[in-house]
Amino acid sequence: MPYLDKMANIKLSRKEFERYIRINPEIERKISMFGTPLESINENEVEIEIFPNRPDLLSLQGYLRGFLAFLGKKTGLKKYKLQPPLENYEVKIDKSVKEVRPFTACAIVKNLNFDSEKIKEIIDIQEKIHTTLGRDRKKIAIGIYPLEKISLPIRYEARKPEDIKFIPLEMDKEMSGLQILQRHPTGREYAHLLKDKEKFPIFIDSKDKILSMPPIINSHKTGKITEKTKEVFIECSGFDFEILSKTLNILVTMLADMGGKIYQMKLNYDKEKITPNLTPEKMKINLENINKLLGLELSEKESKKLLEKMGYDYKDKEVLIPAWRTDILHEVDIAEDIAIAYGYENFIPEIPEISTIGSEDKKEIIKRKISEILAGLNFLEISSYHLVTKNELKKTRQKSEIEIEKSKTEYKFLRPCLLTSMLKILSENIDNEYPQKLFEIGKVFSRNIDNETGIEEKEKLIVSITPGNFTELKQVLEYLEEMLSIKLEIQESENESFIPGRIGKIIFNGKDIGTIGEIKPSLLKSAHLKMPLSLMEIELDDILEKLVV
Amino acid sequence: MERKIEEVLESLNPDERAILPFLREGDLKKISLQSKIDELRTSRALQFLGNKGILKLDYEKKKLIDLDDNGIIYMKNSLPERRLLNLLSDKKTIGFENAKKESGLSENEFKVSLGVLKKKAMISLSRGKLILEAKKEEIIKKSLEEQFLESLPLKLEELKPEQKLAFQNLKSRKNIIILIEEKQVIVNLTELGKEIITKDLGKTKNMIEALTPEIIKSGSWKGKKFRRYDIKSPVPKIYGGKRHFVNQAMDYARKIWTELGFQEMSGNLTQTGFWNFDALFTAQDHPVREMQDTFYIKDIQAKLPDKKLVNAVKKSHEQGVDGSKGWQYKWNEEDAKKVLLRTHTTCLSAKTLSELKNKKGKFFAIGKVFRNETIDWSHGFEFNQTEGIVIDKDANFRHLLGYLKEFFNKMGFENIKFTPAYFPYTEPSVEIQWFHPERKVWLELGGAGIFRPELTIPLLGEHIPILAWGPGFDRTIMDYYNIKDLRELYENNIIKLRKKKFWLK
């Protein structure tokens, strides 16, 4: 169960941080126990990892809000005052966006006082939400604009790309929608998000100035906040109104914590909506279930206190969930927060008395026995990759039926046999002491449409001796046969890798399960080998099947 | 002293006895020549005598001049200039081209010969003809170079003035002579050695060397002594066959799991998107499902399990179960049908759960997992993972921590702690950290948690808390073997494998 998510680290100014909380070793420990691993700390900066389920902690303000509560300083659901929409605080949503990017959630925040530090923070959180929760702007794109350059109300509509013309950020010329996707660096990076769309979405003000073309880029004229900006218009666009609305909440509460005053806006969808909406969601919880899950016996009062340390309110068996939390799907999510508030270090580990009988996979046991038999004959076990390169296949005259999409290395094929890696390993060891007696047990892959995955995985054994001859290897095969109490038969055979007359197929229960013989000099040469090589490769599945019964 | 001398005498092997009378010669070559024991054996015998305290060896480097490939040929066929001179002493005068042809010399040899003979004023060149100038006695007399070649090998430092001249002349010519650095081995007898070489070796002559079946049978050993061996002298190294160290470590993990009462799960390395992701409540737009991170197989489409299960998983994703909201999107069957190399062994846990009859048990898996990564010292596309699940209606978070503690302690990680973590399919989630006793830092050992109801309900039909943990295993192996570079686990260098220590846990 390794990490599966893109990680986001935030770097907070230590000075700003310490205006609220003095850092000492205990606080450093608490940062990690809050579920936000402390990555590094120095005199200027505190670097903290934020897991992808907590985008609300991605800013200094959001982090402090959560962490101060956790420390027991400002507990419970934090309240923010919302101003109702003023005249024209409105975004008209045209039906044309339905096909391309149907939703937006918007707000206005006034009374701001930016400095370069704050502007950097705002850009940072936008970026981080874009890459994590926003799935690289696909799910969420955020735009923040200086209000003084915009004439309200705003329209959100979709137009044909050729009918979109504005100067995008970092450019000095007007460009069309299509040109932006083709020529602008950011346009090119995100072009795939609008590819195949007949119309592109835009935000446009009442004087027909285009503010932006989400999720790609803002206009140069209206799309950049500066230290002079006192009031902003914020929009989040995407496909799921709820997640957009929560993202908006994360942003406006951050700005409110910077001293801003939040104004709502009217969004006229088919049914009018007003955002931001900070009404907490209520979730009924069953404390008995939570105690059972955690192995604790918390009273309602204790639970309430712990919930408040995680920024919730609790009332009448209901948890009031902050409107900026995106991660609460189920009661278990609340249970985890209670566990964090309780402190992972305070749980007493316990192993319950359930008696079960352990057992290994029976085939694994037989495979181990085969390995032990071979090790007893002085063979050394090797362990190679399941993926092989085109070149390795070519050198050993093998073909793979199964190719990987977009491998980051040369290893692009699932191995069809163990021969390829064996020859490769031998070629890497030509200058090491001989004789070299090697073996490997591993899976090989071929197609089989009858299987669930369309792929057949077979367990194989390869044994090689160099310098070695047929007799020496046949001795090994016969010893294996004897030790495993199985009956194998060698029949004459032909194969382009082996010397004619010195190759046999190995028969088990009437089925051809492998090959034994001396490798042709031409193949030795093409695999860059110097010494005579005898080798056998055997399918183990039937043998294992028989032996485990 | 007498006893010591006797012991030493009894320990002499035949070669040592053979060279003993000639040790006063003082130098390996001479001793070898006199004793008629070849240099390699003499050298070994000298080493042994050194170990026994009879002598000390000094090594001096000498530069030696000897014949090179062409030199050896010329010694047989005479130097090119001699061959040209012989031709001229016959003909007295000869045309340039004819001389070249009749002398049988190569272009280069001919040119050099001309130069040499002209310089010594033995011939002259006029109107395309070679004319003999040397007198008969001059011709007969061996040249400095010829004399020099005959007297080889010579030591560079000991050259006489005329030899130096010949050396200079021949040095620039192709492969006639070669300068070899030779090690001279000088023998200095110790007090014990001086004593021993005066002793009569006769008594030790009839000592038994190797004990043979014949000696045992005939009883000829009676009344005889066995030659004493120098048991401290080094012997050639041998290496046995053995299992790959990674597999030794894997078997150890198997042992721990079974001791804890877990049953092994096994399964394919190729899996469907359904088992690897969907059944584990991993949203279809989750970044891990992109080709950037996961190996997908080209041109292949899988079959999905029975409709009931697929629909249950779909519902869990789209609208959630048991009061959960789910991911609130439209679940796409095509993504579930993609075939991939498993990114974790948790897909085996999902399958096990879906087939579970009595809804309890403890299971583990161990094996390879894959990630679309480049290869460097800390990354690879294949690695080893182990994983355990506990299915128990009464299981709780404290039990999870209990199992983790027990498991990791058994694996040799004494000082561990638990911190909050996040995984899409467990809640609560926990990260296990280990305090490395030498490096004095906390290191992540892996993740764990309790499976979410959105995962368990579709697979089991009801929510039972399932404790799950899946530490990566390569770090454990690297730590045990003090390996710094991940690639070493996969390099298969035979020397290293032969020398690699056994996993002793």
Side-chain angles (χ1 to χ4, degrees), chain B residues 352-413:
Chain B
T352 301
L353 292 180
S354 76
E355 289 159 7
L356 202 62
K357 301 252 156 53
N358 54 2
K359 294 181 186 174
K360 65 175 184 203
K362 302 191 315 204
F363 298 89
F364 81 96
I366 184 159
K368 284 268 166 21
V369 296
F370 301 82
R371 205 67 57 82
N372 195 354
E373 275 278 9
T374 51
I375 308 174
D376 63 33
W377 70 274
S378 66
H379 292 93
F381 52 74
E382 255 186 71
F383 38 100
N384 298 292
Q385 199 202 336
T386 180
E387 159 130 352
I389 52 173
V390 175
I391 305 134
D392 169 16
K393 280 196 165 63
D394 298 319
N396 66 42
F397 190 58
R398 280 173 51 213
H399 299 157
L400 174 66
L401 302 185
Y403 279 113
L404 290 173
K405 205 162 177 253
E406 178 85 7
F407 176 79
F408 283 105
N409 283 350
K410 279 193 164 223
M411 288 294 288
F413 300 104

Side-chain angles (χ1 to χ4, degrees), chain A residues 350-367:
Chain A
E350 174 194 68
I351 290 201
E353 292 290 329
I354 31 168
S355 80
T356 50
I357 292 164
S359 65
E360 287 178 77
D361 182 69
K362 293 204 173 77
K363 291 182 183 174
E364 287 299 330
I365 300 174
I366 305 293
K367 276 155 63 183

